[in-house]
Amino acid sequence: MNWPVMLRAIRQAFVLILVSAAAAWGTHLWHPRAPALYLVQEPLRDDEVSMEAIQERWKGQVLWIDARPQEHFDAGHVPDALLLNEQKFEQQLVNYLDILQTNTKPIVVYCSAAKCDASRHVLERLKQVLPIENAFVLKGGWKAWQQAGAR
């Protein structure tokens, strides 16, 4: 082994790391507005709708279905929302069959938040049971409804 050559390579690597770290730190301190990549909105899926679209397209006139558990529904829900969750789907569906079969409004299903798939599961099961076409999942769920200030 050639120790002087190896030490020089280590020293050069250390200098490169130090210079890179200093450049990164300087950019962090002085950049006027660093991009927040985690804040970029994902595009809506085909079966999703946003609160903005609900207000613009339908003026908020939709049939809301809450796909959260009973205790979350009891703690707070969209006014006049129907509770239809995965845990008691069949039992709850029987109570709402008349409403769902005569409904002419778009149906919007929501659950707790953006990462919650309960609303999508309820919507899929609902489409298997009833011939509904104008039905969507609320992007962002209950939290999106709260943030929109809808009451």
Side-chain angles (χ1 to χ4, degrees):
M1 280 190 156
N2 191 346
W3 286 103
V5 173
M6 189 180 236
L7 287 175
R8 186 173 48 207
I10 292 172
R11 194 175 14 226
Q12 288 174 346
F14 180 73
V15 168
L16 286 174
I17 292 171
L18 190 63
V19 169
S20 297
W25 180 252
T27 301
H28 174 73
L29 289 177
W30 292 300
H31 194 281
R33 187 163 186 186
L37 299 177
Y38 61 90
L39 293 177
V40 173
Q41 291 291 325
E42 292 179 22
L44 290 174
R45 294 182 184 179
D46 291 339
D47 65 344
E48 287 181 327
V49 67
S50 66
M51 277 303 298
E52 295 81 21
I54 291 170
Q55 296 301 335
E56 290 173 17
R57 285 166 56 186
W58 305 306
K59 308 294 183 233
Q61 297 301 308
V62 299
L63 176 63
W64 292 100
I65 296 181
D66 191 326
R68 301 175 301 155
Q70 179 77 47
E71 51 277 359
H72 293 203
F73 182 83
D74 292 342
H77 58 272
V78 175
D80 300 323
L82 307 178
L83 174 62
L84 188 59
N85 58 38
E86 293 178 285
Q87 295 82 7
K88 297 182 179 180
F89 184 84
E90 288 83 14
Q91 298 161 332
Q92 294 166 338
L93 181 62
V94 171
N95 296 331
Y96 303 130
L97 272 177
D98 288 339
I99 295 169
L100 291 168
Q101 289 175 334
T102 59
N103 176 53
T104 57
K105 298 177 187 176
I107 296 173
V108 179
V109 185
Y110 68 93
C111 55
S112 299
K115 299 297 180 191
C116 174
D117 284 330
S119 54
R120 188 159 273 107
H121 296 158
V122 167
L123 181 60
E124 289 169 6
R125 289 182 72 185
L126 199 55
K127 285 182 175 182
Q128 290 172 354
V129 175
L130 297 170
I132 57 173
E133 293 179 17
N134 203 12
F136 305 90
V137 170
L138 175 60
K139 179 154 178 95
W142 171 245
K143 290 184 181 185
W145 187 83
Q146 288 178 311
Q147 289 171 349
R151 296 287 175 239

